[in-house]
Amino acid sequence: MNRDIKKQLISILGEKACLFAEEDLLTYSYDAGKYRALPQAVALPDKTGQVCEIVKLANKNNLPLVPRGAGTGLTGGAVAAKGGILLSLERMNRILKLDQANRLAVVEPGVINGDLAREAARFGLFYPPDPASVDFSTLGGNIAENAGGMRAVKYGVTKNFVLGLEVVLPTGQIIHTGSKCIKDVVGFSLSELFVGSEGSLGIVTQAILRLLPLPPKQGTLMALFPTMQRAARILPAMARAHVTPSILEFMDHECLKALDAKEDTDLASQAEALLLMEVDGRQEKVASDLASLDRLCRENGASRIEQALKGADRERLWSKRRSLHASLHLIKPRWEEEDISVPVAQLPDMLKSLDQVARDHHLVMANFGHFGDGNIHISFAGHEHDLEKAQALTVRREIYQAAVNLEGRIAAEHGIGLDKTDEISWNLDHSTIEFMAKLKAFLDPNQILNPGKVLPRTEERD
Amino acid sequence: MNRDIKKQLISILGEKACLFAEEDLLTYSYDAGKYRALPQAVALPDKTGQVCEIVKLANKNNLPLVPRGAGTGLTGGAVAAKGGILLSLERMNRILKLDQANRLAVVEPGVINGDLAREAARFGLFYPPDPASVDFSTLGGNIAENAGGMRAVKYGVTKNFVLGLEVVLPTGQIIHTGSKCIKDVVGFSLSELFVGSEGSLGIVTQAILRLLPLPPKQGTLMALFPTMQRAARILPAMARAHVTPSILEFMDHECLKALDAKEDTDLASQAEALLLMEVDGRQEKVASDLASLDRLCRENGASRIEQALKGADRERLWSKRRSLHASLHLIKPRWEEEDISVPVAQLPDMLKSLDQVARDHHLVMANFGHFGDGNIHISFAGHEHDLEKAQALTVRREIYQAAVNLEGRIAAEHGIGLDKTDEISWNLDHSTIEFMAKLKAFLDPNQILNPGKVLPRTEERD
C-alpha cells in the first residue's frame, strides 16, 4: 500500500485506528473457517462519517474494502481475499437506544449479539437470533450473514428482526432503510437487500432491531429415539398438537458415539437419534407444552425422556449439545464441515441421502442441527486418513446434489463467502445470478466492496 | 394505441384476452380510492411467458405497463395514470401447490387472499395476513402493497410470509428469489425488494408463501374505556403479562357515535374508546389469555367487558368493527381517509395530536385501526360542508407532520401509489430517495413499469 494512501487513512481515522504492521494484519487475516489472506491495512472507524471517507478513498484508489465484525464466520466472508483495506467495525459497538415501550434497540454494528441480549433482558426484552457464536459475533456480522441459530424454528432468522438500517453504499452514499414502525410502506423495502449480502452491497453502520417480551420461563426436554425416522414423526405430530418449541435440535448416531467417548455415557447403544427441545413462555404454558412433548415423544417410540425446568438441570441437558463440537474433535481432529437446508419435511430423506454418501465414500459422518427448520450441519472425515482435497470436494458436491434434489439450499446460515461461489448456480438459475451480478455492479461500480464473495467468479464485472 | 401494437398484443394473448373497447377499459380505470385513468388496452395473460412478451412489447414501444390485481387498493397503485397497457393478473389465479408437510403454498398472483386462506384451512393451515379486502384482493396485489391487516400485531405483514417469488423484471427477464427453505443464504435476499414496490420494480408471477398451523380456537373480547389514554395502558400491561393478542383493534369516541347512530346503542355515552381483541391457540391457552385480558382491562378502568368464544357470539362482537365503515358513512357521506403509523407506544400521543388537528380545523374526525401495531386509519370531514381540496391537503399534511414528529410513517399499509409521492420526502432523506430512483432506473431503464407511482415526480428519470 503506497504511502500516500496510508497518510490519507491516518488523516481520516487518526494514527491509533490504522494498522499496517504485519503482526497486526495477521490477526485480521482469518475467520473461523479455512480461508486466510492478509489485508494491506486495517481501518478501525468510530463513526459513520469515517466509514464514508474510507469508502471514498477505496473507490478513488480502486482498493478492495472488506467489512468485518468479529470474524466468527465460517465461509471466508470477512477475509480480505484480494487484499486492500480491512474495515473492522469493532469500535462502533454502542447500544444507542434500548426502547422498552416500543420494544426495539438502535445499535451500532460492532455490538456483540450476547451483549444486546443481556442488556435487553434487563428491560424484560428478548433478541431471539442466537447463532452459536452469540457471545463473540457482532450484530453487524449477524446482519451481513443473515445469521440463524437454534431459535429460528419459532422466531425466525436475523432478517425477521431488522426494522431499519443505516447503510453506507459502496459509493460512500449514506441511505436509511425502514423505520421504527411495524407497518411501513413508504418507498421500497430495502433493508433485506443488505441483510445476508455478506458486506458486498453496503456497510451497515446502524440498525434498528425488533425485540420481543422476554419469556418468563423455559423448559427443556431431551429424548432418545430408536431411529431418526421415528424421531422425525414428531414434526407433524407437534403441528397437529399446536406445540411450537423455541428450539428443536437433533443429533445422529455418530454424534451420540462422540458424546459417549467424551463423557463415558452409553447413549449410542440405546438410540440412533437424540432430540433436544426447549419451550418458552408463561409458566403454565411451559408446563403444558412439556407435557405434550413428553406424550408425543412416547407415542413416537422415544426410549428415554428427560425434562428440566430449573437452570442447572436445563444446563446439564444443554451441555450435551454445547460439548458436541469438542466431542467430535476427540474422535477426529479434522472434520470437513457443511451447512445445508431442506424444506423441513424433507429432513429425514436428506439424512438418508447423507448416509448413502457416507457409505459410498467410506466416511465417518456426523449430522446435527436444527430439526425444526430443516438446517443440517454436516461433519465428515475419512476413517483412517484426512480426506484428499479432491475427494472432499466430490463429497461436498454430492451433498449439495442431494439437497438440491429435495428442493434444499447449499447454504443455510453460514454464508456463501469464498466457499461456495462456484456452486450457487446449483440453486440459482443463470438469469437470477446474472441479475445479482448486475445489481452488484450497479451498487458498486468499481467492485471495491468485499470482492470475490457471494457471486461466482465468472459473473464478476471487474 | 396504434393498430400494430394491438395486433401484437392479440398475437401474444389471443383475441379474448385483450380488451380495447372503452366500456371494457372503464371497468379497469379505478381502484377503491379516488384516482381514475383510462388505460389504452387491458391485457389478461394466463402464464408467465405471456407476461414476458407483453413487457418486451411495452419496452419496444415505450408504453406504460400497469400490473393490477383486483383493484382494491386505496392510493391509485393499480390505476394507469399515464395510459398504456393495464396488465390484469386476474386469470393467473391457480393455487399450484398446497404443501401440508412443509407448510407452504405456491400460488399465482391472481389468487384471492381468502381463497388461499380457505384452501389452507382444509389442510389445517393458516395464512395470517388479512387486509380488510381479504375476500376480494389478490395475493399478487397484497404482495405489491405489502398488505397488513388486523393480525399483523401477532403475525406480521405480507412480507413476513413471502418465502420466494418468480418475478418478471421490467426488461422482461425472469428471476427467482428465495426458496422453500426457512434458512437460505444463497445469493442476495431479493424477495423483499419486490414486496411493497407497488408493481413498479417487477411483476410477480408466482409466489411461495409460508403457512402456519391453523389455531384450533379463537376468543374475542370487547372492552369499553373511559378514555383513550386509559385504554392505551393495556399495551405495556399485556407485554408484562406475556399475552399477545392475535388482533387488537381500537375505535375512538367519534366511531362509537357512528355505531350508536346505526345500531341504536349507547356506547358513546358510556365510553370514549373501545378495544376489540382476539386471542388464538389451544383451548386452554385461549381461556387463560381471555382471563388475563379481562383482568388487565378491569385494572385499567374498563367499564364494560364482553367475552365470546363461540362463532355466533364472536361474530356479534366483530360486527361492530365490520359495520364501522358503513356506520361512518351514515353520518357523513364523504370522508377524507388517511393511513399512518407510529411506533406502537406513541399511539396515544398521536391520537392527541389528531384531536388537536381536528379542533384546529373544526373537523369531524374518526380514528380507528390497529392498536397493537401503531397503525391508525383516520377519517375526517367538515362539520357542515365537504372540505375544500386545499383544506383537505393542509389537514393531511398536519397529520403527516404529527406522525413524523413521533417517528411515524405517512403510509402504513395502503401504499404510496399516486397519493403520497410528493410527501415521501417527509419520511425519507434526499439521499435515500435518490437511491430509490436510481434503483428504479436500473431495473426499468425505459420507465415503463407503473410510472408515476411511489417516487416523487422530480425524481423520475423519464
Side-chain angles (χ1 to χ4, degrees), chain B residues 221-236:
Chain B
L221 185 145
M222 190 201 78
L224 292 173
F225 288 85
T227 66
M228 190 62 77
Q229 307 304 318
R230 295 201 72 168
R233 289 193 204 150
I234 202 163
L235 285 171

Side-chain angles (χ1 to χ4, degrees), chain B residues 18-277:
Chain B
C18 301
L19 309 176
F20 304 106
E22 199 176 333
E23 62 270 28
D24 291 326
L25 301 183
L26 262 172
T27 63
Y28 290 90
S29 68
Y30 52 86
D31 66 1
K34 63 192 172 203
Y35 297 94
R36 273 115 192 75
L38 267 194
Q40 294 164 277
V42 173
L44 299 155
D46 183 38
K47 45 178 89 74
T48 303
Q50 291 176 339
V51 174
C52 288
E53 294 293 305
I54 296 166
V55 172
K56 284 172 187 164
L57 179 69
N59 267 300
K60 207 183 293 168
N61 296 282
N62 243 312
L63 272 176
L65 181 66
V66 180
R68 181 184 173 93
T72 59
L74 289 159
T75 52
V79 173
K82 302 194 174 187
I85 302 170
L86 192 133
L87 186 82
S88 172
L89 281 312
E90 66 199 88
R91 289 174 66 214
M92 293 179 68
N93 64 352
R94 285 157 286 224
I95 297 175
L96 300 172
K97 187 168 210 166
L98 216 145
D99 183 341
Q100 187 175 25
N102 288 307
R103 291 189 217 153
L104 56 86
V106 182
V107 300
E108 290 185 330
V111 173
I112 306 293
N113 178 315
D115 287 345
L116 173 64
R118 276 180 288 278
E119 183 66 9
R122 289 184 47 220
F123 293 87
L125 295 170
F126 175 43
Y127 181 66
D130 60 341
S133 58
V134 62
D135 285 324
F136 313 101
S137 64
T138 64
L139 293 166
N142 292 175
I143 291 168
E145 300 292 320
N146 194 14
M150 296 198 199
R151 296 199 196 106
V153 57
K154 176 170 178 179
Y155 294 105
V157 294
T158 300
K159 184 168 79 167
N160 305 114
F161 291 87
V162 174
L163 286 172
L165 297 174
E166 177 182 82
V167 181
V168 177
L169 296 178
T171 53
Q173 189 182 345
I174 303 174
I175 64 166
H176 292 89
T177 73
S179 70
K180 292 183 179 173
C181 295
I182 294 169
K183 285 184 179 166
D184 174 5
V185 294
V186 179
F188 304 135
S189 184
L190 295 177
S191 300
E192 293 83 0
L193 186 59
F194 300 98
V195 179
S197 75
E198 308 200 28
S200 75
L201 297 184
I203 302 164
V204 171
T205 48
Q206 221 176 86
I208 307 170
L209 299 176
R210 190 165 70 96
L211 303 171
L212 299 179
L214 185 69
K217 284 280 170 197
Q218 280 93 25
T220 306
L221 185 145
M222 190 201 78
L224 292 173
F225 288 85
T227 66
M228 190 62 77
Q229 307 304 318
R230 295 201 72 168
R233 289 193 204 150
I234 202 163
L235 285 171
M238 285 192 309
R240 281 191 299 270
H242 294 276
V243 178
T244 305
S246 54
I247 303 182
L248 175 47
E249 298 288 292
F250 81 98
M251 297 179 200
D252 75 357
H253 201 217
E254 206 60 43
C255 293
L256 296 185
K257 286 190 211 164
L259 290 179
D260 286 344
K262 182 157 181 282
E263 300 185 13
D264 207 22
T265 48
D266 64 342
L267 300 168
S269 70
Q270 301 174 50
E272 284 193 356
L274 180 151
L275 295 187
L276 202 50
M277 311 172 201

Side-chain angles (χ1 to χ4, degrees), chain A residues 22-93:
Chain A
E22 198 177 334
E23 62 269 29
D24 290 327
L25 303 182
L26 262 172
T27 64
Y28 290 89
S29 67
Y30 52 86
D31 65 2
K34 63 192 172 203
Y35 296 94
R36 272 117 193 75
L38 269 194
Q40 293 163 277
V42 173
L44 298 156
D46 184 39
K47 45 177 90 71
T48 303
Q50 291 176 339
V51 175
C52 289
E53 294 293 304
I54 295 167
V55 171
K56 283 171 187 164
L57 179 70
N59 267 299
K60 208 184 294 168
N61 297 281
N62 242 311
L63 273 176
L65 182 64
V66 181
R68 179 184 175 94
T72 60
L74 288 159
T75 53
V79 173
K82 302 192 174 186
I85 302 171
L86 192 133
L87 186 84
S88 173
L89 281 312
E90 67 198 270
R91 289 174 67 214
M92 294 179 68
N93 63 351

Side-chain angles (χ1 to χ4, degrees), chain B residues 393-451:
Chain B
L393 187 65
T394 306
V395 172
R396 262 173 212 285
R397 293 193 161 180
E398 289 187 18
I399 291 171
Y400 298 158
Q401 189 59 56
V404 169
N405 290 347
L406 296 166
E407 299 190 90
R409 305 303 269 185
I410 65 162
E413 59 178 12
H414 293 171
I416 295 293
L418 290 164
D419 210 34
K420 305 183 183 180
T421 57
D422 288 341
E423 286 89 4
I424 71 168
S425 60
W426 295 47
N427 274 144
L428 304 176
D429 55 41
H430 177 70
S431 169
T432 303
I433 296 174
E434 186 198 58
F435 174 70
M436 288 181 182
K438 277 191 196 158
L439 183 67
K440 163 74 176 165
F442 158 71
L443 279 154
D444 186 8
N446 298 322
Q447 299 278 355
I448 56 146
L449 202 59
N450 213 1

